[in-house]
Amino acid sequence: MPFQGQKRRFIKQLEEMAKQQKEGTVFVDLFGGSGLVSHTIKRARPDCRVVYNDFDHYSERLANVGRTNAMLQALRPIVAPIQHKMRITEPIRSEVVAEVEKWNKTGYVDWFSISSNLHFTMNYSHNFEEFSKQTLYNRMRKDDYDVEGYLEGVEVVSMDYRRLFDQFCKMENVVFILDPPYLSTDCATYKSDNYWKLSDYLDVLKCLKNTKFVYFTSSKSTIVELADWIARNDFHGNPFEGATIHRFHVEGIALNYDDMMLVKAA
């Protein structure tokens, strides 16, 4: 099922890493995402314990895959007159919105999956109100989602990653998998309860000290460069201490953030 992230590009390397580990190794996926890493490692090393932290409540989407498939089956004939990957125009757009509204009123809707089928690439709605205002495209998949046995044999937990890390950090033969929301990238689709500040990203780096780990990031993120700078400079204290912070809230379609100006000119 669709999920924001690019770990599928590293499946071969993950399998090779897993196969190189000792017998009895425990793999702890601190930010489990779609469970792809846990799934891949368990298939490569069925003899090993794999703990998947359902940080984004992906299990709820898996549990409702039957309803999601039924919803897509109802939508396919409606959008069929529209060429694949083309914009859905009226009156078909209104029919699509009405169908989605019907499902929304009767139970669970996997907005990520529905968005992946009816929105432009990497554009997601989080509720019906957002969906009803979006430009729609026919990106419908032809087949149903098949998740049978996807997390078979994997231990599924759902907790703060720091608590989970504390449970395993003193054990031998543990490999931590870390894929936190990337610094300097869009985190809107991650189902985290709070906005991640820079200090949150830096806190994750504590899990790398004296551990075996796999850490995912992106060139869009500056976290690796920042860690290198800290290591090369004897930098102490907070350079913003004593500064006055001015904020301007920006809100609009797909926008909700603060512009900030920090002043320390006296």
Side-chain angles (χ1 to χ4, degrees), residues 6-8 10-11 14-15 17-18 27-45 50-52 150-151 154 175-179 214 216:
Q6 306 300 330
K7 289 178 285 188
R8 64 183 180 275
F10 302 99
I11 287 178
L14 281 167
E15 291 174 339
M17 178 278 301
F27 298 90
V28 183
D29 195 352
L30 293 177
F31 301 89
S34 67
L36 179 60
V37 171
S38 293
H39 164 84
T40 299
I41 292 175
K42 190 62 179 180
R43 294 302 177 271
R45 289 297 302 271
V50 179
V51 181
Y52 159 63
Y150 181 59
L151 292 177
V154 174
V175 176
F176 290 100
I177 313 297
L178 300 100
D179 184 28
V214 176
F216 291 91

Side-chain angles (χ1 to χ4, degrees), residues 1-4 58 60-62 64-69 71-72 75-76 100 108-119 123-126 131 137 139-141 143-145 147 189:
M1 300 182 75
F3 189 84
Q4 180 173 335
Y58 190 79
E60 182 180 26
R61 295 179 60 197
L62 294 177
N64 284 279
V65 66
R67 180 176 171 84
T68 300
N69 283 335
M71 187 173 177
L72 294 177
L75 287 165
R76 286 190 189 104
V100 172
Y108 177 85
V109 174
D110 180 350
W111 292 109
F112 202 108
S113 292
I114 297 304
S115 297
S116 296
N117 283 269
L118 290 170
H119 289 347
N123 191 16
Y124 303 102
S125 294
H126 302 89
F131 178 86
Y137 292 83
R139 299 183 63 244
M140 297 290 294
R141 57 181 288 129
D143 303 319
D144 290 344
Y145 293 114
V147 300
T189 58

Side-chain angles (χ1 to χ4, degrees), residues 151-189:
L151 292 177
E152 186 176 349
V154 174
E155 297 180 34
V156 181
V157 299
S158 184
M159 65 176 70
D160 187 290
Y161 80 92
R162 288 163 292 197
R163 284 181 52 212
L164 185 59
F165 177 77
D166 288 342
Q167 289 183 17
F168 290 91
C169 64
K170 295 181 181 179
M171 294 175 56
E172 295 183 359
N173 297 329
V174 177
V175 176
F176 290 100
I177 313 297
L178 300 100
D179 184 28
Y182 292 169
L183 181 60
S184 303
T185 59
D186 175 27
C187 300
T189 58

Side-chain angles (χ1 to χ4, degrees), residues 65-87:
V65 66
R67 180 176 171 84
T68 300
N69 283 335
M71 187 173 177
L72 294 177
Q73 290 166 12
L75 287 165
R76 286 190 189 104
I78 298 176
V79 303
I82 303 295
Q83 186 177 346
H84 190 58
K85 295 187 178 180
M86 297 301 292
R87 181 180 176 183

